[in-house]
């Protein structure tokens, strides 16, 4: 056996042992807050268990700086009552006491309220906590409040259980003038520290525990304020000076203003359906939360807690989803990814000239070269999505300046397609990773067991995914229109010719006539994977599907084994590889379904598009804050009246947050052509229970428009009021 095959077999064993995004306890009830590059994850009781095997903690640059933080009242865990984090950077947790015994005195349960407010500051790299105890009883109480901490500085890949290395040196924690310090020397040449300070001197300290004796009169309150500051620096640099906690009210005010400013910029939606309004509002807040600065630009971090960093595919798709609402983020994402475009051949990182990165990590394992993620380029679709977003952004803005600025990057991607995209020379884009720590699968279903054949066995590379061929078709046709607009008709003609040839071959080679759907992929030897999967619906969105085959594909995706009642499953329940809690083998993904809605609308399947829209809207009602998670389990709506959670799904997650806004754009039929100063509204429709909807401030080029939709039996009618030079065309068939 060759060394390469041996490495692949080991990686296959590893991924089969996982088959999910993380090997930790459930995080579906987690409270998550974030500001810039720092984020915090805790349980609904506010705690981070000191036991291992969970994903809670304080994270910065792919490192968990705090992995234990427990509050005890006289040695007992308080009882959680409520937890909210709907402002993104601020969480409020309400607790109460169990019955407490102390020196023959008894404090009856629920007599002491504990309000735990926590605020994140990305500027200060700090978590600020205010723990306020209120005595609701009729007698004086004295309570021992103990706070225990733990910091191991694990890389996020170690936290997830995917690469459990901890190669650096962890120093013993130490107290210094009432301040608790944790310190770690990484093998990457970076030192990391966590420093915890309290507003009041502890009455007692242990190794990692501070205890406060709190006496409270009836009706009175007492508080403890703490700061948890993180820092990283290269070895040899001096420790940063201690930072004074800012005014928490001032920090909160500034953060709210930043968030509200962003939320007010996009197109605004108001309907007669409170659920829809609440879901869309939360989507916008989550996308604001996930905005992350890097190198003077911004991007949507893929998802918390596992993917709080730059992902090429995720950031591009989220930007596509937001074009009708907030087109400015697209150009920031494009510039950022262009600045890190592949420039050489590097098999360790699956880098090739012109390739767009998959994942960029800044933790110890990546910086030390234990992982290839600095950045890692193993994505087969991000280069194509880069071209698609470039073209779609131009259609919404009527501005060619981004294309002209990034034309060298566009040309590099086109060269990558020709020189590297089709490794086996069959005319289709395919993948077969050479990196020992690279991904076995490089499409959006990138878990190791995510691409299977009819027997449920993992597909053999090289693998040509159905959606990737669709993306290639759309990338070529979209880019051709841009070249034509800048006067390069020769290049445009060539790309259009190649797109037409690809479409003809694709509809022959990928079509499964007996099943009535496109194959999920072609594996080694050109063998089609004859399974029913959501991947096939992406071909409808991309425009590569012949209409007769698109119609049959749509019908097949809505059979009971594929459509769960909430959305289309990643893999049909009738397939041997199906697993309702399989990450890519049966779970339902909101972003996946949002793309399907676009494809269904494109091929006149408005009824089915509305079924997905309604299913996802109903599903959102069952999740905290009306927030759609990364994915949920594939159990049917008939089996369970609410969607069954996927236990370690990210929430918020960028393309899940963008799913409802994008689906709304699609069912309303918005198609922009800013170069012609035109907005087409194609067969607008609304679910039956939504009678009126206003969408105000939609920008098309230099103009904007307010739209008022009214639902009806024959579809929705629309009234438009444009500001600036813009023609609004309503197409009813």
């Amino acid at each position: 056996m060759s060394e390469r095959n041996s490495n692949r077999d080991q990686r296959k064993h590893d991924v089969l042992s996982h088959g999910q995004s993380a090997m930790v306890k459930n995080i579906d009830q987690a409270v998550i807050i974030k500001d810039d590059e720092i984020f915090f994850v805790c349980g609904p009781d506010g705690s981070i268990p000191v036991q291992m095997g969970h994903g809670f903690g304080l994270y910065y640059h792919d490192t968990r700086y705090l992995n234990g933080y427990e509050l005890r009242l006289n040695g007992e865990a308080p009882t959680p009552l409520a937890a909210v984090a709907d402002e993104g950077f601020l969480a409020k947790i309400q607790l109460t006491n169990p019955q407490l015994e102390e020196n023959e005195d008894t404090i009856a349960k629920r007599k002491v309220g504990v309000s735990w407010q926590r605020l994140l500051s990305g500027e200060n790299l700090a978590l600020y906590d205010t723990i306020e105890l209120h005595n609701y009883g009729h007698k004086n109480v004295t309570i021992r409040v103990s706070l225990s901490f733990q910091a191991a500085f694990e890389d996020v890949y170690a936290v997830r259980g995917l690469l459990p290395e901890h190669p650096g040196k962890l120093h013993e924690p130490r107290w210094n003038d009432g301040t608790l310090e944790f310190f770690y020397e990484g093998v990457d040449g970076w030192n990391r520290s966590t420093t915890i300070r309290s507003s009041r001197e502890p009455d007692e300290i242990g190794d990692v525990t501070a205890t406060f004796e709190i006496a409270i009169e009836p009706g009175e309150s007492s508080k403890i304020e703490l700061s948890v500051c993180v820092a990283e620096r290269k070895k040899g640099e001096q420790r940063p000076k201690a930072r004074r906690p800012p005014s928490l009210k001032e920090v909160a005010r500034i953060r709210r203003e930043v968030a509200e400013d962003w939320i007010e910029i996009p197109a605004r939606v108001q309907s007669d359906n409170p659920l829809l309004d609440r879901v869309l509002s939360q989507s916008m807040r989550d996308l604001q939360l996930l905005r992350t600065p890097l190198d003077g630009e911004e991007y949507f971090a893929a998802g918390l807690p596992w993917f709080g960093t730059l992902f090429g595919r995720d950031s591009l798709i989220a930007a596509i989803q937001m074009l009708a609402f907030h087109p400015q983020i697209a150009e920031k994402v494009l510039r950022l990814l262009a600045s890190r475009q592949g420039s050489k051949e590097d098999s360790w990182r699956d880098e090739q000239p012109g390739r767009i990165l998959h994942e960029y990590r800044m933790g110890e394992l990546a910086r030390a070269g234990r992982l290839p993620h600095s950045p890692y380029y193993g994505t087969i679709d991000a280069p194509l999505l880069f071209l698609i977003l470039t073209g779609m952004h131009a259609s919404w803005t009527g501005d060619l300046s981004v294309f002209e600025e990034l034309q060298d990057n566009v040309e590099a991607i086109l060269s990558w397609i020709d020189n590297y995209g089709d490794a086996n020379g069959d005319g289709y884009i395919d993948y077969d990773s050479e990196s020992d720590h690279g991904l076995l699968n490089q499409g959006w279903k990138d878990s190791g067991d995510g691409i299977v054949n009819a027997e449920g066995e993992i597909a053999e590379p090289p693998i040509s995914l159905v959606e990737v061929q669709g993306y290639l078709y759309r990338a070529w046709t979209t880019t051709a229109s841009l070249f034509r607009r800048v006067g390069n008709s020769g290049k445009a003609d060539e790309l259009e010719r190649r797109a037409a040839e690809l479409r003809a071959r694709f509809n022959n080679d990928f079509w499964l006539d007996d099943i009535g759907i496109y194959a999920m992929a072609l594996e080694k030897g050109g063998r089609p994977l004859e399974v029913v999967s959501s991947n096939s619906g992406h071909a409808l969105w991309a425009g590569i599907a012949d209409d007769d085959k698109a119609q049959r594909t749509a019908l097949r995706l809505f059979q009971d084994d594929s459509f769960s009642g909430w959305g289309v499953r990643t893999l049909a329940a009738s397939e041997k590889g199906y697993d309702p809690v399989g990450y890519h083998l049966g779970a339902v993904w909101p972003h996946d379904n949002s793309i399907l809605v676009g494809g269904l609308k494109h091929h006149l399947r408005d009824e089915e598009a509305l079924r997905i829209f309604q299913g996802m809207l109903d599903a959102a009602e069952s999740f905290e804050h009306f927030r759609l998670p990364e994915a949920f389990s594939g159990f049917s709506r008939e089996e369970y009246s609410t969607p069954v959670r996927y236990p370690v799904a990210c929430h918020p997650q960028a393309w899940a947050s963008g799913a409802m806004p994008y689906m709304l754009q699609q069912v309303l039929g918005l198609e922009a052509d800013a170069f012609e100063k035109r907005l087409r509204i194609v067969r607008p429709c609304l679910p039956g229970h939504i009678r009126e909807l206003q969408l105000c401030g939609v920008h098309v080029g230099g103009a904007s428009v307010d739209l008022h939709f009214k639902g009806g039996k024959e579809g929705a009618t629309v009234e438009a009021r444009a500001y600036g030079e813009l023609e609004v065309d309503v197409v009813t068939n």
Side-chain angles (χ1 to χ4, degrees), residues 93-112:
I93 298 163
Q94 188 64 44
L95 312 169
T96 190
N97 67 295
Q99 181 167 303
L100 301 176
E101 307 291 341
E102 183 69 14
N103 298 329
E104 300 182 356
D105 288 334
T106 298
I107 301 176
K109 59 184 177 181
R110 296 189 297 276
K111 292 300 181 183
V112 178

Side-chain angles (χ1 to χ4, degrees), residues 510-519 530-533 536-537 540 547-559:
F510 276 78
W511 181 246
L512 304 174
D513 196 61
D514 292 344
I515 302 176
I517 200 168
Y518 289 103
E530 298 182 357
V531 294
V532 177
S533 73
S536 302
L540 280 59
D547 188 63
D548 61 328
K549 297 178 177 63
Q551 300 300 324
R552 291 185 64 188
T553 296
L555 292 173
R556 183 63 187 87
L557 289 175
F558 277 85
Q559 292 184 19

Side-chain angles (χ1 to χ4, degrees), residues 113 150 221 277 352 356 499 503 527 545 608 679:
Q150 186 170 276
S221 300
D277 291 355
Q352 295 155 346
I356 298 299
R503 181 176 181 178
R527 298 187 299 270
E608 287 84 358
L679 175 67

Side-chain angles (χ1 to χ4, degrees), residues 319-560:
I320 287 172
Q321 292 171 324
M322 290 304 296
L323 279 170
F325 298 87
H326 199 302
Q328 293 88 348
I329 196 73
E331 57 194 75
K332 297 176 183 291
V333 169
L334 289 168
R335 290 192 184 99
L336 187 57
L337 292 173
S339 70
R340 286 174 166 77
Q341 188 172 29
S343 60
K344 60 183 182 299
E345 292 187 12
D346 182 350
S347 60
W348 165 245
R349 298 192 298 164
D350 280 334
E351 180 181 2
Q352 295 155 346
R355 202 168 194 180
I356 298 299
L357 68 84
H358 169 64
E359 181 177 359
Y360 177 57
R361 294 287 184 175
M362 291 176 279
E364 178 184 15
L365 297 181
R367 285 175 172 172
R370 306 289 181 95
L371 282 173
H373 294 66
S374 57
Y376 173 63
Y377 289 86
T379 169
I380 199 65
D381 50 11
L384 311 177
L385 291 166
F386 185 101
L387 298 180
I388 292 171
L389 177 59
T390 303
M392 293 178 72
H393 172 266
S395 294
W396 277 95
T397 63
D399 183 3
L400 288 170
S401 63
V402 174
F403 171 66
E404 291 169 339
E405 174 189 343
L406 303 179
Q407 189 164 337
D408 288 346
N409 304 96
V410 169
E411 295 276 13
I413 292 174
L414 294 173
S415 296
W416 172 82
I417 292 170
D418 292 341
N419 297 325
Y420 298 96
D422 179 15
N424 62 3
D426 65 354
Y428 297 118
I429 298 291
D430 55 48
Y431 61 83
D432 183 5
S433 173
E434 296 185 1
S435 174
D436 292 349
H437 285 287
L439 293 170
L440 285 174
N441 289 313
Q442 296 186 359
W444 87 260
K445 294 180 180 177
D446 56 8
S447 58
D449 59 353
I451 307 298
V452 296
N453 61 22
E455 298 303 315
E457 300 168 339
I458 293 177
E460 288 293 322
I463 295 171
S464 303
L465 293 167
V466 57
E467 73 270 23
V468 171
Q469 315 318 312
Y471 297 167
L472 176 60
Y473 173 83
R474 186 161 183 171
W476 273 342
T477 55
T478 300
T479 307
S481 68
L482 294 176
F483 276 113
R484 197 172 300 284
R485 288 193 179 277
V486 297
N488 192 341
S489 58
K491 187 72 170 181
D493 290 343
E494 176 195 356
L495 292 175
E496 289 172 348
R497 175 186 58 78
R498 296 179 69 179
E501 292 173 353
L502 172 66
R503 181 176 181 178
R505 287 187 289 107
F506 169 85
N507 280 280
N508 180 67
D509 296 347
F510 276 78
W511 181 246
L512 304 174
D513 196 61
D514 292 344
I515 302 176
I517 200 168
Y518 289 103
M520 180 160 63
L522 305 181
E523 65 173 336
K524 184 179 180 180
R527 298 187 299 270
L529 302 182
E530 298 182 357
V531 294
V532 177
S533 73
S534 63
N535 302 59
S536 302
H538 290 228
L540 280 59
W541 176 83
I544 196 174
D546 288 343
D547 188 63
D548 61 328
K549 297 178 177 63
Q551 300 300 324
R552 291 185 64 188
T553 296
L555 292 173
R556 183 63 187 87
L557 289 175
F558 277 85
Q559 292 184 19
D560 289 344

Side-chain angles (χ1 to χ4, degrees), residues 499-716:
E501 292 173 353
L502 172 66
R503 181 176 181 178
R505 287 187 289 107
F506 169 85
N507 280 280
N508 180 67
D509 296 347
F510 276 78
W511 181 246
L512 304 174
D513 196 61
D514 292 344
I515 302 176
I517 200 168
Y518 289 103
M520 180 160 63
L522 305 181
E523 65 173 336
K524 184 179 180 180
R527 298 187 299 270
L529 302 182
E530 298 182 357
V531 294
V532 177
S533 73
S534 63
N535 302 59
S536 302
H538 290 228
L540 280 59
W541 176 83
I544 196 174
D546 288 343
D547 188 63
D548 61 328
K549 297 178 177 63
Q551 300 300 324
R552 291 185 64 188
T553 296
L555 292 173
R556 183 63 187 87
L557 289 175
F558 277 85
Q559 292 184 19
D560 289 344
D561 64 336
S562 183
F563 185 69
S564 73
W566 308 108
V568 175
R569 299 178 176 99
T570 44
L571 190 68
S574 58
E575 299 295 347
K576 290 184 179 180
Y578 171 73
D579 177 355
V581 289
Y583 196 48
H584 294 128
L585 296 174
V588 176
W589 287 61
H591 98 277
D592 184 28
N593 278 265
S594 77
I595 293 173
L596 300 187
V597 167
L600 291 165
K601 280 287 293 186
H602 182 70
H603 286 278
L604 310 182
R605 307 299 304 197
D606 295 0
E607 181 179 345
E608 287 84 358
L610 284 173
R611 286 183 69 188
I612 292 179
F613 181 89
Q614 184 62 62
M616 284 292 159
L617 182 60
D618 292 345
E621 188 173 18
S622 297
F623 294 102
E624 286 78 9
H625 308 305
F626 304 95
R627 169 189 287 157
L628 284 171
E630 172 187 20
F632 49 91
S633 299
F635 295 103
S636 74
R637 195 167 182 171
E638 291 184 355
E639 294 176 90
Y640 300 95
S641 59
T642 60
V644 178
R645 298 166 188 264
Y646 185 79
V648 291
C650 288
H651 60 94
Q653 201 239 20
W655 58 18
S657 299
M660 284 304 301
Y662 189 64
M663 284 190 284
L664 179 64
Q665 175 204 329
Q666 296 299 313
V667 298
L668 295 179
L670 306 187
E671 297 180 2
D673 185 356
F675 293 109
E676 300 300 323
K677 297 180 173 57
R678 177 178 288 115
L679 175 67
R680 299 176 73 237
I681 304 178
V682 181
R683 302 186 319 279
C685 52
L686 289 170
H689 63 283
I690 300 176
R691 304 302 300 171
E692 279 193 78
L693 182 144
Q694 294 185 53
L695 178 57
C696 299
V698 177
H699 285 263
V700 180
S704 67
V705 62
D706 294 343
L707 302 169
H708 185 187
F709 295 87
K710 291 185 178 180
K713 292 183 179 180
E714 303 301 322

